[in-house]
Amino acid sequence: MLALSVQSHASSGALASGEIEFSPKEIIFEHLGDGYGWEVPFDHHHRIPLPVILFGKDGFHCFMSSKVTGGEKYVDGDATFFIPKEGDYRGKVVQLLPDGSVYRPWDISITKNVCELFIACLLVMWSVFAVAKWHRREMYKAPRKVRGIIESLIVFIYDGVIKPTLGDRSPKFAPFLLTVFFFILYLNLLGLMVIFPGGANLTGNIAVTMVLAIFTFLATNIFGTKHYWKEIFWPDVPLWLKFPLPIMPIIELFGVFTKPAALTVRLFANMMGGHMIVIVLTLLIFIFAALGPVVTGATAFVSVLFSLFMLVIDVLVSFIQAFVFTMLSTLFISFGTEKGHEEHKESQEVTADAKPA
């Protein structure tokens, strides 16, 4: 579907008649970027409008994106808004001031990415509540159909990743880790779709993957044990590696921040790369169109074939990347919450004292 949307864009209207220059770069980044509307499949000139919410020079303004996405200027009271096609504010709603200058208002619009973020959150909540409701009603009966698939994924992640790694700490961190898994999985799958409610490449947005990695970073360090912090600032290595030059503590402290960075870049690069490959393969049809109908036909067959193959691979990658992110987050949290020998001894003494005589 993604390939068909790109073909529609590249072959539509003025581009097909040669009135405007064909720019693969603009097409690629337009499909990978955010927008104030949702593209209609096979009709790139029309979009599903979304709310534009701005705080300009004269207060709040709210209107539908259809009033400005076609290049028009929208007048709301004494304020005029439009979307410039070039310059520093290209593709963003700006306010035209009386002196002819433009002002970039505070933008809290419900864009395509924001809307898909809400949709993914609703899907995650529906998945969890549907399985929970089933087991409250049917107790130990195994659910079927979609509920059965969701429960299989929950059991697979919990029993295969979380419980073997975290042990008795699993109940504490499982809700967060399972939420992260399903959230990333739904975002990945929605990004492969063109029609509503998909089409936004959120996991190919480094800001989104960075926020997810920051949550793992906070969970690792806020719940970090004394043993974890000791291994960072005073690791069990020869003294000359710690004093007078704190070589190992600096390396360990640097590793605290490289772990979330690795999570951020890994998910972002894999999902962005997959989408970009599909779009580039489809655009080859139009790049080679100038070489004649025979070359165009052969290129179209090969490009569509490889695009379909890459889409199938991307479905598998969507699951793998959600699994890898969850697995690495589990490992990082496990490192942070691991108890040393002294803490294990203290906990055993507390447990022994708590037992009745």
Side-chain angles (χ1 to χ4, degrees):
M1 289 188 291
L2 178 60
L4 292 175
S5 175
V6 175
Q7 290 178 17
S8 174
H9 180 190
S11 60
S12 62
L15 180 59
S17 61
E19 295 177 12
I20 61 175
E21 182 183 356
F22 173 61
S23 176
K25 179 181 176 181
E26 290 187 6
I27 294 175
I28 291 172
F29 283 100
E30 183 174 349
H31 279 271
L32 295 177
D34 200 359
Y36 289 100
W38 223 294
E39 291 86 354
V40 177
F42 315 114
D43 186 359
H44 195 75
H45 297 289
H46 297 88
R47 295 191 174 197
I48 301 173
L50 294 171
V52 176
I53 307 171
L54 306 169
F55 185 76
K57 286 284 189 180
D58 53 347
F60 275 102
H61 297 270
C62 183
F63 52 90
M64 298 305 291
S65 61
S66 57
K67 298 184 181 295
V68 291
T69 50
E72 306 90 348
K73 292 183 179 180
Y74 173 67
V75 179
D76 186 12
D78 296 330
T80 302
F81 300 95
F82 71 102
I83 300 179
K85 296 184 178 180
E86 56 185 15
D88 295 337
Y89 301 135
R90 181 177 181 269
K92 303 296 182 181
V93 177
V94 297
Q95 182 176 355
L96 183 63
L97 300 178
D99 60 359
S101 61
V102 295
Y103 169 73
R104 178 80 168 94
W106 186 43
D107 194 342
I108 54 172
S109 303
I110 308 297
T111 61
K112 182 173 65 174
N113 283 354
V114 174
C115 189
E116 184 154 305
L117 195 67
F118 292 154
I119 293 171
C121 292
L122 291 174
L123 286 173
V124 171
M125 289 190 292
W126 171 81
S127 300
V128 174
F129 293 148
V131 175
K133 182 179 178 181
W134 169 271
H135 283 291
R136 281 198 302 268
R137 187 176 67 247
E138 303 293 339
M139 297 300 291
Y140 298 108
K141 285 187 178 180
R144 298 176 181 271
K145 299 179 181 179
V146 178
R147 288 192 185 95
I149 296 173
I150 295 172
E151 186 182 44
S152 298
L153 290 173
I154 294 174
V155 172
F156 174 72
I157 296 299
Y158 185 81
D159 291 345
V161 177
I162 300 174
K163 193 172 182 180
T165 306
L166 293 174
D168 58 352
R169 295 159 287 167
S170 299
K172 183 176 183 179
F173 296 101
F176 165 70
L177 294 168
L178 287 169
T179 301
V180 167
F181 172 77
F182 280 103
F183 184 68
I184 295 175
L185 178 63
Y186 284 135
L187 286 182
N188 291 345
L189 294 177
L190 286 170
L192 298 178
M193 302 169 59
V194 171
I195 59 176
F196 183 85
N201 183 29
L202 268 179
T203 45
N205 186 325
I206 197 168
V208 175
T209 59
M210 181 179 66
V211 170
L212 293 173
I214 288 174
F215 283 131
T216 298
F217 171 80
L218 293 175
T220 302
N221 293 281
I222 290 175
F223 297 99
T225 60
K226 291 186 293 184
H227 175 72
Y228 169 72
W229 291 110
K230 175 186 172 298
E231 287 298 316
I232 292 175
F233 294 106
W234 197 257
D236 293 329
V237 295
L239 183 62
W240 63 272
L241 290 173
K242 300 181 287 187
F243 182 84
L245 292 177
I247 298 174
M248 286 305 299
I250 290 175
I251 293 175
E252 292 291 341
L253 187 61
F254 183 72
V256 171
F257 297 97
T258 56
K259 291 183 179 72
L263 284 176
T264 300
V265 175
R266 180 188 296 273
L267 180 59
F268 158 73
N270 280 281
M271 299 313 300
M272 170 69 80
H275 284 78
M276 190 171 290
I277 288 173
V278 174
I279 297 173
V280 170
L281 286 172
T282 305
L283 289 177
L284 288 177
I285 301 171
F286 307 96
I287 293 173
F288 286 99
L291 300 180
V294 177
V295 176
T296 303
T299 306
F301 176 77
V302 175
S303 296
V304 171
L305 189 64
F306 273 98
S307 296
L308 293 174
F309 173 75
M310 285 303 304
L311 282 173
V312 174
I313 295 297
D314 276 345
V315 174
L316 179 61
V317 170
S318 297
F319 173 81
I320 292 174
Q321 290 304 315
F323 174 80
V324 169
F325 192 99
T326 306
M327 180 184 66
L328 292 176
S329 296
T330 306
L331 287 173
F332 296 157
I333 292 174
S334 176
F335 296 153
T337 57
E338 185 179 2
K339 296 180 180 179
H341 296 297
E342 295 180 358
E343 289 174 298
H344 271 298
K345 186 177 179 180
E346 291 176 2
S347 63
Q348 289 175 356
E349 290 176 354
V350 170
T351 304
D353 294 339
K355 290 182 178 179

